Amino acid sequence: MIEKVLVVEDEPALQETLLYNLQKQGYEAQAIGDGRAALDLARQFKPDMILLDIMLPGMDGFEVCKILRREMNVPVLMLTARDDEIDRVVGLEVGADDYLTKPFSMRELMARVKAQLRRSSLIREELEKLKNAENQPHDILTFDSLAINQTRREVMLSEQPLALKPKEYELLLFLAQHRGQMLSREFILERVWGWDYIGDSRTVDVHVRWLRQKIEHDPAKPVRIVTVRGGGYRFEG
Ligand code: CA
């Protein structure tokens, strides 16, 4: 992914130098010199980072930063010309992520840009992980419209709870945990009913039939719990 940097700077020479150096570092960069127009460009361009001068025509950098803060979550590095601006820059009202006082070296600037982008990509990754963890807790097995919640011992089909007998639930869970594997009737019997169970492998067939009536769209043509000729059953997720 090529990261995008927006430069908001009204001094033509500095704007050009910034663009040149950012592009040389492999960033996709765009520049603009007017504060108000910078808002529109930011909304269109959706940058991953913004370099923002303070004294700008149209609208000053403080105001631009405050508005962007409300609209998008993007790191802002402010370019200040005077030391007395720094308090406002880092204050809560404006809330820039970083700042550099002019004049600054390009090397220093590039190091700061890189650090900010790295930080926000780590945050994005963390958020992504959290989101995935919430959507897919490890105790829930899902197969399209079928979801088995192991903590609650609950099975949902197309978001409707299924009423399963305890052995039907255990059989379904066992099959689902071994999805894609051919399981013989004897093996299923041993693992789901236990060694000491007085019964035979027809017990497995009967329970599979009951399960199919509950979870298969067409129990006569099962696609989830399939019969393996001469073997046993296989769960297809
Ligand atoms: Ca300026």
Side-chain angles (χ1 to χ4, degrees):
M1 188 188 83
I2 296 175
E3 287 164 307
K4 300 192 281 187
V5 182
L6 175 63
V7 175
V8 186
E9 169 60 65
D10 61 324
E11 274 171 60
L14 181 54
Q15 189 191 90
E16 199 179 312
T17 310
L18 288 167
L19 266 186
Y20 171 79
N21 281 280
L22 286 163
Q23 284 162 354
K24 207 174 74 178
Q25 294 292 317
Y27 299 116
E28 186 184 339
Q30 287 198 24
I32 193 150
D34 178 276
R36 205 171 290 276
L39 291 174
D40 290 329
L41 184 57
R43 288 169 190 138
Q44 274 173 36
F45 183 46
K46 298 187 175 36
D48 298 295
M49 161 132 205
I50 299 175
L51 306 185
L52 182 58
D53 184 26
I54 292 175
M55 293 308 289
L56 292 164
M59 180 185 283
D60 72 22
F62 293 128
E63 211 47 46
V64 173
C65 190
K66 275 194 274 177
I67 294 171
L68 288 177
R69 273 277 172 271
R70 289 200 291 266
E71 293 184 17
M72 54 188 83
N73 184 14
V74 56
V76 176
L77 187 155
M78 294 199 93
L79 309 173
T80 72
R82 303 195 316 256
D83 284 343
D84 62 0
E85 292 169 335
I86 292 168
D87 286 351
R88 270 193 85 189
V89 165
V90 296
L92 283 177
E93 184 206 10
V94 175
D97 297 272
D98 199 0
Y99 68 92
L100 272 178
T101 309
K102 293 177 183 177
F104 47 80
S105 75
M106 277 301 140
R107 215 176 130 181
E108 177 66 18
L109 179 89
M110 289 304 151
R112 303 282 189 96
V113 168
K114 206 172 155 187
Q116 282 297 332
L117 285 170
R118 188 172 151 66
R119 213 183 108 212
S120 52
S121 90
L122 286 176
I123 292 171
R124 246 194 331 267
E125 271 171 37
E126 283 305 309
L127 285 175
E128 201 57 33
K129 267 190 232 161
L130 273 177
K131 215 172 91 189
N132 289 340
E134 274 166 23
N135 289 348
Q136 207 75 300
H138 64 277
D139 63 337
I140 300 180
L141 299 174
T142 53
F143 310 94
D144 299 322
S145 55
L146 184 74
I148 306 172
N149 186 321
Q150 299 180 65
T151 306
R152 302 164 87 175
R153 289 177 70 92
E154 233 174 48
V155 179
M156 306 284 279
L157 184 64
S158 302
E159 292 171 16
Q160 297 297 315
L162 277 185
L164 295 183
K165 292 178 198 136
K167 273 287 175 260
E168 287 172 350
Y169 170 82
E170 283 166 36
L171 173 61
L172 177 62
L173 178 62
F174 182 72
L175 292 171
Q177 283 171 335
H178 297 82
R179 77 157 151 174
Q181 296 175 33
M182 194 282 281
L183 304 169
S184 71
R185 289 172 177 78
E186 291 70 27
F187 183 61
I188 296 170
L189 192 69
E190 177 195 320
R191 299 293 297 274
V192 178
W193 278 266
W195 273 114
D196 51 357
Y197 179 73
I198 308 161
D200 61 33
S201 56
R202 273 172 303 179
T203 306
V204 177
D205 297 332
V206 170
H207 280 79
V208 164
R209 199 166 67 228
W210 287 340
L211 264 183
R212 279 172 174 165
Q213 282 161 6
K214 292 176 180 173
I215 68 166
E216 297 282 358
H217 180 64
D218 178 359
K221 294 195 188 75
V223 294
R224 289 190 197 276
I225 303 174
V226 299
T227 304
V228 182
R229 200 183 290 265
Y233 296 103
R234 188 176 65 233
F235 185 88
E236 300 285 354

